[in-house]
Amino acid sequence: MRERSSLATRRAILAGFGSAASALGAGCLRRARNLAGWQSPRQVQLRIKTLPVDADPYALKLARTVAGWFRAAGIDVSVVPMADQELSRQTLLRNDFELFVMRLPSRFREPDALYALLHSRFADAPGWQNPFGYANLDVDDLLETQRRTDGDRRRAALTQLQTTVARTQPFTILTVPDDVRAVRSTRFTNWRAVDLDAPLGYLTLERRSETDESGGDSTLRVAVTDRRATENLNPLSVEYRRDGVLTGLLYDPLAREIDGELVPWLADAWTFSAERQPVARVTLREGVTWHDGESLTPEDVAFTYALLADTTLGADADGTDAPVPSPRFRGRSSLVDDVRVVGDRTVEFRFVDVIAGVGARAFTVPILPKHVWRDRTDPASIGGIDLGPVTDALVTNNIPPVGSGPLRFVRNTPREGLVLERSDEHFLHRPEGSAGSLRARAGEVSFDRLSILVVGSNVTGVEAVASGEADLTGTSVGAATVPRIGRTDEVDLLVTRSETPYVLGYNARRPHLNNPRVRNTLAGLIDGQHLANTVLSGYGRPAVGPLWATQWYPEALEWSNGNPVTPFLGSDGKVDRRRARAAFRETGYRYDDGNLIGGST
Amino acid sequence: MLLAVLLQVVAVVFALHVLGLSLVVRLEDVRGAVGTARRNVRAVTPIALTLGGVLAVNGVVRNLSVELSWLIGVNATELIHALEGRFVADLQSLTTPELTAYFSFVYVFGYVFLLTFPLVAYALHDDVRPLYTLLLSYTLNYGLGLVCYVLVVAYGPRNFMPELVDSLLYANWPRSQVLTSQVNVNTNVFPSLHTSLSVTVALVALRFRETYRRWLPIAGFLAASITVSTMSLGIHWLTDVVAGVVLAVASVAGAEWVATGPGGESELGRGPPGRLASWLRKPP
């Protein structure tokens, strides 16, 4: 794990042998060489990277609890807190980690999303594309199968896939939290029906006009601890995006998912051919414009998919350099083979070998304006120095953003705030036109402005809502603030089931962690029920696989009185050292003075 | 929210200044105070401008230096934790709600008072040396502190062991974070500038104890309170505090050295350091 120290010890040992050998002669030298071939025993060391308490109410506590369990099994564990962007950079971009504790984005609640998360072809790709470096040929095959089959065959593949993943543990689901928010009901209502982790949630809020305390001004003010959106609004950025709620309001996709169903959004309608590699004809809504007044054309759509597949747009058509795909939306863009303009409102999608139902997922990526992004295909550089395989499109802060969504950009103050406003040109907000039925399903923006206010910590966020300076906390503030929210009149506690679990990610490229049996044993040191009960104070529940509580979740993975696949090696949150040691000994490790030793490092 | 907190701090600190002046400064010390103050201010203008410059640079590069420190700095949280273990948690377990209220008060209001009051009081005094030394020490504190912040990335105990250490200041008075987040970033904990600047004031008060006899005990007590409060409120590690004290001693010693030359007054003017010193000093 720690290469430098291992090198140093090895050198020290060799030096020791060397001097002994010269003193004692050739026989000893041979013996020394024989011995030097053997590794000196060292304790297994692991570092967990995660967020500090100011940035996330639970991540650090979860990491420290897990570290305590690992320590009980004789592993030398440390916890390293770091800022949001830095954590994403080190884990998702540079793969410079052993373990991380982060929240898995909500998009992985869909079976085909696991393709990008776990397929070995993405082991080298940046972003949430297999950050674990996980490679399992059976899993690869099953991921391919579920893309190509339908009905029972797909279901069987997904069952087998989830079971294998639960056994081989590229990551362990620590707990599925409830999101705890403070909301103020004096100006806006309908909070209970709102999913604030998704862009559409902000469209279902309703304004309480009769008692508008600030005299006609209807700004929705959101207090957040995450300052990244005030500095960068690039929908393709890996390290600045969490779930892309704000960029999801600035940019529109061809289709959005509403109540589990894919509904045409920028698209008016689409038709799929029944071939093996389906072709879809997508007609765009009429009269859609970008926020800068240009009209949104089929060229923009074709351009977007070409850019996502290769942000250099094939600048080096001779093929000498590899393409640079956008890490975000990679799973979905990999469904598309080619997009062509076939009419002044129509585009034709050619998909790879997938079923239509899976292929249509590709419609949910944000459509980008060609006239802004075509200049961002050059390799990114600082002061003329190229920085390797990355383009401007991936690293630009994209401020001001030119989108076509229901909200448009007004201004930003880095690290402090961001203001967006309702786009009256948007089809949801125009009285005429065909969007009436869509408005009935999706709602519309009921506020004039959306103001993001950065606060230093969760408690400060609650305080901002309590004092009337914000209407809600945009991110979960954690169970510890519940009493404070309860004490304040006019402020309500909003608890919603979250779709983004906390996971412990393993870097399967590293020694020890490259062994699935070790990961499986480590998972047995984690008591999900205990984490939900103590760290989350009951505001959460354990789960085994990322598709829990969906129709695709196999019954064998249901949590019943413990984890059915990697049962906890202890009870009530206490690791049974004897059982933990037995499990590691079976894995080929041994113990020296209580320290876990072995493996091939 | 920020404005409200700021006004509150200004009002309280102003009241403390009035109280402090009536307690510390005797009338016979400041006869002809207006003339003295004018002369003193003229004398320390260069160093005051330098301090202003350092503070301005600090304000501008703070965000930049955070980026830079993630790039080149050492993430030392775990190291510091390994070094001192649960000291802060144990210290915090001894506090009572009353003590916490007191520590919160001195951490915000007491600190601002401790840093600003001697500037006013010394400006009214005939002897310009304390004012000059203090300003120079502040400058060195901020300058060296900024370098440390770039080189060391670390989170405080409240951010690292939440199950043991409560974030007492922000839990009791959440609005204060609006203020503290304006002047600092949560990764800048090593060293504790609260400690180093407070101890600096106390050291200068000790060095020039003849200037205002009643100031030394007040400054000493406040500095000690603030130093303990940084740990008791869960904001700093003991390591940060120790480093802060070292920084304070170094800054005051450095300021003394610049003010008087390495071997005392007579050396002034020899060599580049001496010339720098004489320029900075600009004897009245």
Side-chain angles (χ1 to χ4, degrees):
Chain A
M1 317 253 116
R2 305 249 168 94
E3 299 300 336
R4 210 172 302 156
S5 68
S6 103
L7 206 63
T9 29
R10 233 173 280 169
R11 271 192 202 142
I13 290 162
L14 288 174
F17 281 141
S19 56
S22 56
L24 295 172
C28 266
L29 186 63
R30 197 173 307 120
R31 184 175 160 74
R33 280 183 62 202
N34 290 346
L35 277 173
W38 294 79
Q39 296 271 335
S40 63
R42 279 189 310 112
Q43 190 182 6
V44 175
Q45 283 185 327
L46 297 171
R47 299 214 300 171
I48 309 179
K49 293 186 172 174
T50 192
L51 296 169
V53 180
D54 279 350
D56 188 297
Y58 304 125
L60 195 104
K61 272 192 202 179
L62 291 170
R64 281 176 57 84
T65 312
V66 169
W69 286 326
F70 285 6
R71 244 171 244 138
I75 302 168
D76 178 6
V77 195
S78 53
V79 176
V80 186
M82 55 186 66
D84 287 308
Q85 274 132 276
E86 190 60 25
L87 183 63
S88 304
R89 226 170 258 152
Q90 295 196 11
T91 54
L92 303 181
L93 291 182
R94 297 212 302 263
N95 295 329
D96 175 18
F97 71 101
E98 282 144 18
L99 304 168
F100 65 71
V101 172
M102 282 202 261
R103 289 183 79 163
L104 194 67
S106 58
R107 59 178 177 276
F108 296 113
R109 296 283 284 145
E110 204 169 353
D112 187 56
L114 300 180
Y115 185 85
L117 188 67
L118 296 173
H119 199 291
S120 63
R121 67 180 277 213
F122 296 121
D124 234 4
W128 273 109
Q129 275 61 247
N130 200 347
F132 321 106
Y134 175 75
N136 181 312
L137 295 180
D138 290 337
V139 166
D140 286 355
D141 286 346
L142 292 165
L143 285 166
E144 305 279 355
T145 309
Q146 65 82 29
R147 280 194 148 184
R148 284 172 198 157
T149 54
D150 222 340
D152 285 345
R153 285 184 59 202
R154 182 167 194 226
R155 184 168 296 276
L158 283 170
T159 299
Q160 210 188 331
L161 170 72
Q162 292 179 74
T163 313
T164 311
V165 169
R167 276 169 53 78
T168 52
Q169 293 283 323
F171 57 91
T172 304
I173 295 190
L174 297 177
T175 182
V176 184
D178 285 333
D179 281 340
V180 175
R181 288 188 172 88
V183 298
R184 171 166 276 271
S185 342
T186 49
R187 302 175 69 233
F188 293 90
T189 57
N190 202 27
W191 294 109
R192 305 274 154 212
V194 169
D195 172 13
L196 294 167
D197 286 327
L200 288 182
Y202 286 81
L203 303 186
T204 37
L205 274 180
E206 282 165 21
R207 185 169 158 191
R208 201 193 278 270
S209 51
E210 68 275 20
T211 55
D212 205 323
E213 52 186 35
S214 43
D217 164 52
S218 73
T219 301
L220 179 69
R221 300 153 310 166
V222 188
V224 298
T225 53
D226 187 347
R227 59 179 55 162
R228 289 178 289 180
T230 63
E231 300 173 308
N232 179 309
L233 286 167
N234 182 353
L236 307 187
S237 171
V238 170
E239 67 268 41
Y240 284 89
R241 297 280 81 79
R242 186 191 293 254
D243 260 329
V245 172
L246 290 171
T247 49
L249 286 163
L250 288 165
Y251 290 89
D252 270 344
L254 291 174
R256 289 190 196 260
E257 200 182 294
I258 303 176
D259 301 330
E261 193 195 336
L262 210 55
V263 177
W265 191 267
L266 273 181
D268 208 14
W270 59 70
T271 53
F272 270 89
S273 74
E275 299 159 64
R276 174 81 199 257
Q277 283 169 289
V279 176
R281 273 180 178 255
V282 180
T283 323
L284 299 182
R285 209 173 271 283
E286 235 171 329
V288 180
T289 55
W290 296 103
H291 295 154
D292 63 359
E294 303 268 331
S295 50
L296 191 151
T297 63
E299 271 85 27
D300 290 318
V301 177
F303 169 83
T304 300
Y305 287 89
L307 185 77
L308 293 180
D310 179 6
T311 53
T312 68
L313 286 181
D316 38 288
D318 51 347
T320 47
D321 287 333
V324 182
S326 163
R328 285 202 88 218
F329 313 111
R330 179 105 188 249
R332 280 170 268 178
S333 67
S334 74
L335 295 164
V336 178
D337 184 35
D338 182 37
V339 180
R340 285 190 307 138
V341 179
V342 291
D344 50 350
R345 272 177 58 206
T346 315
V347 280
E348 188 178 85
F349 280 71
R350 284 184 178 281
F351 291 96
V352 296
D353 188 3
V354 295
I355 56 165
V358 169
R361 282 187 65 234
F363 297 156
T364 58
V365 306
I367 300 301
L368 306 173
K370 184 177 182 181
H371 63 279
V372 175
W373 288 78
R374 69 179 162 209
D375 299 329
R376 295 177 175 170
T377 58
D378 291 336
S381 60
I382 294 179
I385 302 164
D386 281 0
L387 295 176
V390 57
T391 51
D392 279 336
L394 301 180
V395 294
T396 173
N397 66 9
N398 192 35
I399 287 179
V402 178
S404 63
L407 292 182
R408 68 171 166 229
F409 176 82
V410 178
R411 66 171 176 273
N412 72 314
T413 319
R415 291 169 182 272
E416 287 176 20
L418 169 69
V419 180
L420 309 179
E421 69 180 356
R422 178 184 142 112
S423 164
D424 291 330
E425 302 301 309
H426 194 265
F427 52 82
L428 278 181
H429 304 143
R430 280 188 308 211
E432 79 281 8
S434 58
S437 61
L438 185 61
R439 188 158 52 230
R441 287 192 77 171
E444 61 182 310
V445 177
S446 63
F447 42 84
D448 294 330
R449 289 193 162 199
L450 176 70
S451 169
I452 304 291
L453 170 77
V454 175
V455 292
S457 69
N458 295 310
V459 177
T460 322
V462 173
E463 181 66 18
V465 177
S467 66
E469 279 156 275
D471 295 301
L472 73 148
T473 56
T475 40
S476 175
V477 288
T481 59
V482 168
R484 181 180 296 269
I485 298 171
R487 278 202 301 273
T488 319
D489 293 341
E490 296 187 336
V491 175
D492 288 338
L493 178 67
L494 184 68
V495 178
T496 46
R497 293 212 163 191
S498 162
E499 304 276 288
T500 59
Y502 284 95
V503 298
L504 176 72
Y506 304 97
N507 190 346
R509 306 166 187 89
R510 297 294 178 95
H512 307 297
L513 300 175
N514 52 7
N515 180 346
R517 188 165 284 280
V518 170
R519 298 196 301 266
N520 184 292
T521 312
L522 288 174
L525 297 172
I526 294 167
D527 185 351
Q529 188 68 57
H530 180 79
L531 291 174
N533 292 349
T534 57
V535 177
L536 275 66
S537 315
Y539 287 98
R541 62 203 60 76
V544 179
L547 300 180
W548 82 92
T550 65
Q551 53 159 324
W552 309 104
Y553 201 50
E555 207 172 315
L557 296 190
E558 292 292 348
W559 192 277
S560 57
N561 222 353
N563 189 321
V565 184
T566 54
F568 183 53
L569 298 167
S571 56
D572 301 326
K574 276 193 95 67
V575 166
D576 181 340
R577 282 166 198 260
R578 204 177 39 80
R579 283 174 64 196
R581 287 180 188 198
F584 272 111
R585 285 200 180 100
E586 244 173 79
T587 312
Y589 284 72
R590 58 204 165 80
Y591 279 88
D592 177 23
D593 198 20
N595 295 339
L596 181 68
I597 296 204
S600 49
T601 42
Chain B
M1 191 139 81
L2 177 64
L3 196 68
V5 179
L6 217 56
L7 283 175
Q8 196 179 352
V9 171
V10 168
V12 171
V13 171
F14 181 76
L16 287 174
H17 269 255
V18 173
L19 186 70
L21 283 172
S22 66
L23 277 177
V24 169
V25 180
R26 291 173 308 168
L27 271 182
E28 55 263 40
D29 288 336
V30 291
R31 242 168 244 141
V34 177
T36 314
R38 197 176 297 150
R39 190 159 43 80
N40 283 349
V41 167
R42 250 200 315 277
V44 298
T45 300
I47 182 61
L49 286 178
T50 313
L51 175 60
V54 169
L55 287 178
V57 168
N58 202 341
V60 172
V61 305
R62 190 184 310 121
N63 294 336
L64 207 70
S65 71
V66 172
E67 300 285 326
L68 186 65
S69 64
W70 278 118
L71 216 58
I72 64 169
V74 185
N75 192 334
T77 318
E78 182 65 31
L79 188 70
I80 294 173
H81 176 242
L83 210 62
E84 61 175 85
R86 300 176 42 156
F87 177 81
V88 173
D90 294 340
L91 181 75
Q92 201 175 64
S93 66
L94 300 175
T95 59
T96 60
E98 294 77 28
L99 269 177
T100 300
Y102 168 71
F103 282 136
S104 302
F105 180 81
V106 293
Y107 185 83
V108 177
F109 301 106
Y111 176 65
V112 178
F113 167 72
L114 185 66
L115 262 53
T116 52
F117 179 75
L119 295 178
V120 175
Y122 289 149
L124 296 176
H125 199 275
D126 274 343
D127 188 357
V128 74
R129 287 177 307 149
L131 181 61
Y132 173 78
T133 308
L134 191 65
L135 282 170
L136 188 52
S137 308
Y138 283 177
T139 311
L140 291 173
N141 261 302
Y142 273 110
L144 294 172
L146 186 64
V147 174
C148 290
Y149 285 163
V150 169
L151 295 180
V152 179
V153 182
Y155 286 97
R158 69 185 180 86
N159 252 321
F160 184 69
M161 26 190 213
E163 73 280 18
L164 297 173
V165 176
D166 286 321
S167 183
L168 286 176
L169 175 62
Y170 304 134
N172 283 313
W173 191 33
R175 283 160 166 258
S176 62
Q177 192 163 33
V178 181
L179 187 67
T180 54
S181 62
Q182 286 290 317
V183 293
N184 213 336
V185 185
N186 61 4
T187 48
N188 288 352
V189 301
F190 180 91
S192 159
L193 271 195
H194 257 76
T195 303
S196 76
L197 288 167
S198 304
V199 172
T200 295
V201 171
L203 287 175
V204 172
L206 180 69
R207 169 73 179 76
F208 298 101
R209 57 191 169 278
E210 300 303 325
T211 310
Y212 292 114
R213 295 197 144 272
R214 290 191 215 155
W215 173 236
L216 177 60
I218 299 177
F221 182 75
L222 267 181
S225 298
I226 291 166
T227 301
V228 176
S229 78
T230 59
M231 293 181 286
S232 158
L233 296 173
I235 295 166
H236 281 292
W237 302 93
L238 177 63
T239 311
D240 309 333
V241 167
V242 172
V245 172
V246 171
L247 176 58
V249 172
S251 300
V252 175
E256 276 281 288
W257 181 79
V258 172
T260 59
E265 202 80 28
S266 58
E267 298 281 319
L268 200 85
R270 276 193 210 157
R275 272 202 295 283
L276 176 71
S278 64
W279 175 77
L280 284 170
R281 186 163 179 247
K282 206 175 193 183

